[in-house]
Amino acid sequence: MSVRKILLTGGSGFIGSNLVRHILNHSEDVVVNVDKLTYAGNSESLSDIESNPRYHFEQVDIVDSLAVANLFEKHQPDAVMHLAAESHVDRSIDGPGQFIQTNIVGTFHLLMSAKVLFESLSEDKKQLFRFHHISTDEVYGSLGMQDPAFSESTPYDPHSPYSASKAASDHLARAWVDTYQLPVLVTNCSNNYGPYQFPEKLVPVVILKAISGQSIPVYGKGENVRDWLYVEDHADALYTVLTRGAIGETYNIGGNNERSNLELVKMICNILDDEMPISKNEAIAASDHPDIKRYEDLITFVTDRPGHDLRYAIDATKIRDELGWEPKEGIEGGFRKTVRWYLKNQDWWKRILSGQYRLERQGLDA
């Protein structure tokens, strides 16, 4: 099929906006971005492609079953890429209810509407239809430092309300393959980083705290290990799975870049020392830490969060061997690109930190 219409949920978020841009730049496909525009959804992340005739936006909450059904009836998509999710672990600890609704109930509504559409299709179109459910490596639980990396057959063992809700949605998606023969694909990815990431996540927190001269918080002793995946590599992998993956299969997507949180934070600080020397940073002189010599001096250790998994690591052998995908970006180059992006796009993140982006969405003045 040369051109698809892809209904993509969560397209105004971090991974979603990068995926929308990747599809439009690397294919002739049409993208229907379905996003509720919660605090983490920002239409400004796609301002450069809003006028693209192959891009359409629908502000819809996937928890609203009628609205979801109407979306499928209106657009008749050839594929669904489901990214929409509540995804911040700390928020899931403080308020798990929204995670249950969006991640489990919302996924259920999408699967039901996809099933109705799929059953109405001709046999030729059924052969082309795909439902790609996009998930996280956190569903697998925690690894010891010497344990082998997560594979597609690793048993699920979620430890937070967020990862438990994503595990439930994964199980629903797989059940729709066996029960209803819906052509589902599932992917589980490692920690993403890159442009347009919401400022509450670790990487932008480090960058923005550092350049403003604020303390950089690190949980516990910073020993927790994550596998870091550049978001453009992830977008490429997701589209590869959608177009070439086998129905009913799961593919783990990783960056082959394990680092402890402390190692990661120090690396970002070292990059900032090069890209924005403290001697040229006026915010440092006006901060509570005017005498620091390196950004690394701002690191502060804080109380660890409950249920903090020690280590995540992805074995991405299957997607490499079966689909020919491997990450292109090394960790040093990827993080340098990311730091430069946040330094060059300060208007984007300052409007988020001030709340201006949400006020304007509501038609209000700051």
Side-chain angles (χ1 to χ4, degrees), residues 69-241:
N70 289 339
L71 270 176
F72 278 78
E73 177 65 26
K74 175 181 178 181
H75 290 286
Q76 299 284 303
D78 303 299
V80 177
M81 300 187 79
H82 175 35
L83 292 95
E86 296 287 344
S87 64
H88 196 268
V89 175
D90 288 348
R91 286 179 180 263
S92 82
I93 294 170
D94 295 336
Q98 189 59 53
F99 287 71
I100 303 302
Q101 289 298 311
T102 299
N103 298 355
I104 302 177
V105 177
T107 298
F108 166 71
H109 291 323
L110 287 163
L111 287 165
M112 288 300 292
S113 289
K115 172 182 174 291
V116 170
L117 173 63
F118 180 71
E119 290 175 346
S120 73
L121 297 176
S122 67
E123 288 304 316
D124 286 345
K125 288 195 172 183
K126 281 183 177 179
Q127 294 299 315
L128 298 169
F129 188 85
R130 296 290 184 272
F131 187 108
H132 183 179
H133 177 67
I134 296 156
S135 189
T136 171
D137 60 358
E138 296 193 36
V139 299
Y140 297 123
S142 183
L143 292 170
M145 288 302 183
Q146 304 304 317
D147 289 339
F150 299 132
S151 72
E152 289 79 1
S153 61
T154 300
Y156 276 26
D157 186 25
H159 293 162
S160 71
Y162 161 58
S163 57
S165 67
K166 288 299 291 183
S169 68
D170 290 9
H171 290 317
L172 285 174
R174 292 195 183 96
W176 258 243
V177 182
D178 293 335
T179 305
Y180 304 112
Q181 291 74 55
L182 189 70
V184 171
L185 304 152
V186 177
T187 52
N188 298 84
C189 71
S190 58
N191 282 39
N192 280 224
Y193 70 96
Y196 299 103
Q197 189 167 27
F198 196 76
E200 72 181 358
K201 297 289 189 172
L202 175 61
V203 172
V205 163
V206 174
I207 297 170
L208 305 187
K209 292 285 189 185
I211 63 177
S212 62
Q214 300 178 47
S215 296
I216 301 170
V218 176
Y219 281 129
K221 297 179 181 179
E223 296 173 335
N224 304 77
V225 173
R226 300 293 182 261
D227 174 24
W228 292 94
L229 173 65
Y230 191 58
V231 69
E232 173 59 25
D233 279 338
H234 189 198
D236 181 47
L238 292 176
Y239 191 70
T240 298
V241 171

Side-chain angles (χ1 to χ4, degrees), residues 18-74:
N18 280 280
L19 178 57
V20 168
R21 191 173 288 104
H22 177 88
I23 293 170
L24 293 177
N25 289 340
H26 295 88
S27 76
E28 298 301 319
D29 293 344
V30 174
V31 177
V32 180
N33 172 16
V34 178
D35 202 298
K36 181 183 177 181
L37 293 180
T38 62
Y39 75 95
N42 188 353
S43 56
E44 294 179 17
S45 298
L46 291 168
S47 59
D48 57 319
I49 56 94
E50 285 180 343
S51 61
N52 190 313
R54 294 188 289 119
Y55 174 75
H56 308 279
F57 175 73
E58 296 277 4
Q59 186 170 356
V60 169
D61 184 352
I62 61 172
V63 174
D64 184 340
S65 61
L66 180 59
V68 170
N70 289 339
L71 270 176
F72 278 78
E73 177 65 26
K74 175 181 178 181

Side-chain angles (χ1 to χ4, degrees), residues 303-324:
T303 302
D304 210 351
R305 70 182 178 206
H308 197 179
D309 292 333
L310 177 62
R311 172 175 167 250
Y312 302 145
I314 283 284
D315 179 351
T317 301
K318 179 177 178 178
I319 190 173
R320 181 197 67 197
D321 291 351
E322 295 187 10
L323 305 183

